[in-house]
Amino acid sequence: MAEDAILSAKGITKEFKGFVAVDNVDLTVRRGTIHALIGPNGAGKTTCFNLLTKFLQPTRGEITYKGQDITRMAPADIARLGLVRSFQISAVFPNLTALENIRVALQRERGDSFDFWRSQTVLNSLNERAEELLGQVGLSGFADVHAAELPYGRKRALEIATTLALDPEMLLLDEPMAGMGQEDVERTSALIKGVSANRTILMVEHNLSVVSSLSDTITVLARGRVLAEGDYQAVSKDPRVIEAYIGAAHG
Amino acid sequence: MASETTTAGLAYGKRSLVRGMPGHHIAIFIGFLVVAAVAPFLLYPVFVMKVLCFALFACALNLLLGFGGLLSFGHAAYFGSASYITAHAAKVWGLTPELAILSGTAVAAFLGVVFGSLAIRRQGIYFAMVTLAFGQMIYFFALQAEFTGGEDGIQAVPRGHLLGLLDLRADFTLYWVVLAIVFFGLLIIYRVIHSPFGQVLKAIRENEPRAVSLGYRTSQYKLAVFVLSATMAGLAGSTKALVFQLASLTDVHWTMSGEVVLMTLLGGMGTIFGPIVGATVIVAMQNYLASFGAWVTIIQGVIFVIAVLLFREGIIGVLARRLRKPL
């Protein structure tokens, strides 16, 4: 089991001035799977997510990615290792066109872009790939539209295409369905399923039908701790999980 | 848009500065040169040179504010320091004007590295406050240091001979040199905005966490644009010192930092040509309304309030939206 773990966290803890948001969490994501992180509001899902992507520094604990200790690394460097995250609020560059959004990601393969003396026409060689990626998420024909003018579902699609432009080995999706209508949820579900080939995905998600249909493994968090772990069948029957969800609904 | 860009670029050759420049931008640059060529015959040349220097200064600030999303409230530090160093180099060390300008600009760049690397650790209002604090430190230094001449400043700075050959004492001769410097500076800023670096910069301005998640070490980009902006502000300050043959406390005062922010906002922050227009309006007002005395400040204030209330995107910002073209 241990050898096919791509990302693992041991005993990660995050304290905010006396309040423990994430308490001694162990998490192992196996290579090639879709792993979901669920839990009632305030369970520490987003904090946990931010710890794994290094947008927050854990108070204690250790995180390894492909056998490498990444506990003290900067978030930009994590991305360079092929571990790329998305955001809860659709993270596009609003005043850039859809094509330019994707090109910013494709530009990464040039290394650092400190060449301020060169014309941006050198980036035109990336246009073809960018168009291709737009096509993959159903955004052909929107290349010259500013991201700000795209409807919500399409913004999320653009965000996924931008992430895919980096060809990451592992994706971390923070509530990919947040704020979506049913139609968009289905389209995005299919999209995530599609991109999961040859990749590992860890996602935080509220929509349980999405979680049940997509994920191989589910980890349930409650009050900053791991409550249960397993496939949907096992987890949904666990009395502690039922109690945490119903208890939270009443509380 | 894409085809327009490539044809314009090809027509001017692959390595040229205008490569990838859309046709209407080339037209604006040519228009700028035409106006600048005629202006000194119709107006007082020193006044036009002042406009040119402030246009470059405002464009330098706009590079940081409009494209890097960083509001510096202490840009007088780079403008003024460069002005003092150039004045001192020309007057005391007896350097030729081009070397004096280079020294001033280099010092501004150095200050940009030092102050920038500290300021970029903070964001938003805190960033503005840190830059203001550094600006005040430079002001205090200029007030106290021996070589800056305290309240008097450095006066009667010799304009010298360009490359030891061209006598710059005549306003008209100096004018063409200043125009060349400013135009070169504007082209550099234009290129920075439209480079692969500029593209990443805009991405950071739009959504920094996202840029980080794509693997960009954003603080390095912010520092780079801070230094570029400080350097260009320095070039403007150095040139100004030779035009007026004077470096004074006004150049490093916080009101100078405020004024250049005002010029940028009035013309259109984040536009390409807006700061040039903003600088022209403000400098012209100061010049032609000078007879109103202290009222100039009030008139300026009223115009600023009207600008913020009626066209927040600035003069050129509004125009660009109407024309649906980046200006």
Side-chain angles (χ1 to χ4, degrees), chain A residues 30-35 136 160 164 168-171 173 188-203 213-216:
Chain A
R30 281 173 297 128
R31 193 184 293 271
T33 60
I34 299 183
H35 193 130
Q136 265 180 43
I160 291 173
L164 289 179
E169 212 172 331
M170 178 164 183
L171 293 170
L173 309 174
T188 311
S189 261
L191 201 59
I192 291 175
K193 191 76 201 165
V195 304
S196 70
N198 309 320
R199 293 198 175 86
T200 312
I201 294 179
L202 173 68
M203 60 176 182
S213 66
L214 281 181
S215 32
D216 303 302

Side-chain angles (χ1 to χ4, degrees), chain A residues 5-247:
Chain A
I6 183 163
L7 179 73
S8 67
K10 278 196 182 50
I12 51 167
T13 300
K14 182 68 185 174
E15 293 171 5
F16 295 105
K17 294 194 175 152
F19 168 69
V20 184
V22 171
D23 189 4
N24 205 22
V25 165
D26 291 333
L27 189 74
T28 302
V29 182
R30 281 173 297 128
R31 193 184 293 271
T33 60
I34 299 183
H35 193 130
L37 201 56
I38 65 168
N41 282 331
K45 301 181 298 284
T46 297
T47 309
C48 194
F49 193 84
N50 282 332
L51 290 174
L52 293 172
T53 51
K54 308 304 299 137
F55 275 67
L56 283 174
Q57 187 62 36
T59 316
R60 274 188 301 283
E62 185 181 289
I63 303 165
T64 47
Y65 174 67
K66 294 202 283 181
Q68 188 180 352
D69 184 355
I70 59 166
T71 319
R72 302 279 148 204
M73 283 178 82
D77 297 328
I78 303 289
R80 292 173 181 215
L81 293 176
L83 182 63
V84 179
R85 69 166 290 175
S86 74
F87 294 82
Q88 217 171 96
I89 316 147
S90 80
V92 293
F93 304 116
N95 290 312
L96 301 185
T97 64
L99 187 85
E100 286 172 327
N101 264 268
I102 294 188
R103 255 183 11 187
V104 169
L106 288 173
Q107 238 179 290
R108 280 282 310 116
E109 70 192 33
R110 307 173 69 237
D112 282 312
S113 288
F114 289 116
D115 42 354
F116 62 81
W117 55 89
R118 206 165 274 146
S119 167
Q120 64 187 3
T121 51
V122 300
L123 300 177
N124 287 345
S125 61
L126 304 172
N127 287 359
E128 202 178 315
R129 291 253 309 287
E131 298 267 12
E132 218 175 272
L133 284 156
L134 284 174
Q136 265 180 43
V137 297
L139 286 176
S140 326
F142 290 91
D144 293 328
V145 178
H146 282 112
E149 290 160 25
L150 291 173
Y152 188 76
R154 298 216 184 269
K155 274 189 194 141
R156 303 246 42 168
L158 176 61
E159 191 191 338
I160 291 173
T162 308
T163 307
L164 289 179
L166 293 177
D167 195 16
E169 212 172 331
M170 178 164 183
L171 293 170
L172 293 109
L173 309 174
D174 192 2
E175 296 194 26
M177 313 295 172
M180 276 190 189
Q182 190 53 40
E183 198 186 316
D184 281 337
V185 167
E186 277 160 26
R187 195 180 331 153
T188 311
S189 261
L191 201 59
I192 291 175
K193 191 76 201 165
V195 304
S196 70
N198 309 320
R199 293 198 175 86
T200 312
I201 294 179
L202 173 68
M203 60 176 182
V204 168
E205 184 51 57
H206 274 304
N207 190 323
L208 288 180
S209 75
V210 170
V211 170
S212 67
S213 66
L214 281 181
S215 32
D216 303 302
T217 314
I218 296 167
T219 301
V220 187
L221 286 182
R223 291 196 213 89
R225 290 164 179 268
V226 176
L227 197 63
E229 192 172 280
D231 61 13
Y232 187 75
Q233 289 299 327
V235 162
S236 62
K237 290 197 181 98
D238 192 313
R240 289 169 303 172
V241 174
I242 297 167
E243 207 241 294
Y245 266 88
I246 293 173

Side-chain angles (χ1 to χ4, degrees), chain B residues 76-77 80-81 84 135-136 138-139 142 248-254 256-257:
Chain B
S81 304
Y84 273 116
Q136 290 301 93
I138 291 291
Y139 175 77
S248 75
L249 287 174
T250 320
D251 302 339
V252 284
H253 198 245
W254 65 269
M256 179 64 83
S257 300

